[in-house]
Amino acid sequence: MDIKLKKSKTVLKDELFSIDNKKMSKAKKEKALSELHGYEFGQKKTFLGYQINEKIDYKTNYSDYLNISLNNVGDPFTDGNLTTNTKAVEREVLKYYAKLWNNKTREPELQKDDFWGYIVSMGCTEANIFGLLSGRDYLEGKYLLIDGEKEKRAKKLSKSVQDTECLINYNLLSSYGKIKDKNKNRLHPIAFYSQDSHYSIVKAMEVLKISTFNHEASDKKYTCPLNEKNYPKNFSKEYLDKNKWPKEVPSNQDGSVHIPALVKLIEFFASKGHPILICFNYGTTFKGAYDDVKSAVEQIVPILKKYGLYEREIEYAEGKFDIRNGFWFHVDGALGAAYMPFIEEALKQNLIEKPNKNYQFPVFDFRIKEVHSISMSGHKWIGSPWPSGIYMSKVKYQLKPVDDPMYIGCPDTTFAGSRNGFSALVFWEYLSNRSYQEHVEQVVKIENLAQYTYDKLKSLDRKDKLWIQRTTFALTIRMKNPITNLVFKYSLSEEELYVNGKKRQYAHIYIMSHVTKELIDSFINDLKKSGYFEG
Ligand SMILES: Cc1ncc(COP(=O)(O)O)c(C=O)c1O
């Protein structure tokens, strides 16, 4: 993606907030705070462009907690020495999402299939980085938290593997060194993610030095295995690199990953013995699309089995072996993981209609036993005064921390050091205020408003030139970008996309819980006044 630096339009002037070696005068401070308040709450009134819920009230119950430093440093399941933590609350929030995403509850005597996760300090970016870091280390054969050796030495691989004809004849029970000689790619994961993935995924690959299929292909000068039939309809060649490889896994027009291309690319690298790291999307950033994780996994599993990657024995330390997957499937559910479970329920209760009679709800969670980790933002669907999010996985996929710091009095199993302890209260407030059925009713309300918005915009686009589109069950509607003043007034997010080889400048709006029919109508009126519909 080319980065163009635009001059940003700001209304608040830096000088208002200038600080120096003198204490600020009372008058200057009051003016600064008053302008700040006016600006921020003014913009909030017309906020329409990002997947952020502005309908929040944490002031009523939690204003006191701005005067205490809450810190959940370390593992959420051990309280630790830093006593001003909210880990008891955090654990209940995690339990809620474990259940919502069909993960296994934690037993009093911990089982390896039990859930494990934590509330991140950043947004979903941290949860994605942690998921991909865990996937990388797991596939590179690093030490897991649960010592597989202690759990009885696995003498035999599971039946699923025994039944499978391994095309690559790994000497599964030989030592790590020997295995390495036979297949140098065995501990070199290759990552796959679609062209609609969030930029945090691209960043994670770079930060974590994970080889993407495109980098590996370019390094090794491989010929791309995709033929015309493997590309989605209307795929633009601008998304190919100079060696004719797609830069990222091609997506369908609706923003979901194109499964035939994904499967073919995976087979290419699996046949060379590489473990496979996939980042699926559940609610893509721009188009709000949901990858059909279940269908993709069903088509990928036979390939993994064929090449001995479904389960394999790893020597994770000198003379110590365990059996683990040769793949890691992470689901970036920044937005969708929070509300799609309720859409699924609304469909079951016939509160919303299936988009067509063949529609199958795209299952993404731990009902798919091959899913390793899920990430979600807290400030998007739920709404939070600051970025927050959740990382969710299982005990058996936890990596052993690199150090065991006595200093914090609990295991250092999370990504950062200090963790935001206030975010747990934010999640808890949201969840404790609503019954399951109320969540269902809320998603139905939002779905209806999104459809209303789409229908209204579409009806005004008489010349059909404004590219107004909505992906099934997406909270976003995309369109040709309007004039700059409206982009600013409604905080619209813009994106440049190629469609049929032509570059287009899009903007989108997001229908979140604070958005009302009145706000939509006033946005459409502003578009009309600006001559938008006259093309
Ligand atoms: C699909 C997706 N993944 C990840 C992110 C990053 O999330 P955050 O901004 O919470 O770090 C976003 C943010 O828009 C997103 O849309």
Side-chain angles (χ1 to χ4, degrees), residues 71-78 87 90 94 116-121 126-127 129-131 133-134 145 391 398-403 405 408 410-420:
N71 195 328
N72 286 5
V73 64
D75 194 273
F77 296 93
T78 309
K87 290 188 182 179
E90 180 181 13
L94 293 169
W116 181 82
Y118 74 98
I119 295 181
V120 298
S121 283
E126 179 185 333
I129 292 177
F130 193 70
L133 168 66
S134 304
L145 193 64
Y391 173 78
Q398 279 186 271
L399 276 297
K400 193 170 170 218
V402 285
D403 196 5
I408 58 172
C410 70
D412 182 26
T413 48
T414 64
F415 185 61
S418 289
R419 277 193 308 118
N420 185 327

Side-chain angles (χ1 to χ4, degrees), residues 50-52 120 122-128 196-201 279-286 288-289 330 332-336 375-380 387-389 508 510:
Y50 286 85
Q51 53 278 61
I52 289 175
V120 298
M122 292 157 63
C124 194
T125 299
E126 179 185 333
N128 283 336
D196 277 66
S197 300
H198 187 254
Y199 61 87
S200 64
I201 305 300
C279 180
F280 288 106
N281 288 311
Y282 207 65
T284 60
T285 311
F286 203 73
H330 174 73
D332 175 0
L335 182 62
S375 57
M376 185 189 86
S377 291
H379 53 295
K380 293 193 166 79
S388 62
H508 69 185
Y510 257 98

Side-chain angles (χ1 to χ4, degrees), residues 270-284:
S271 73
K272 298 185 184 311
H274 286 284
I276 302 296
L277 174 53
I278 306 182
C279 180
F280 288 106
N281 288 311
Y282 207 65
T284 60

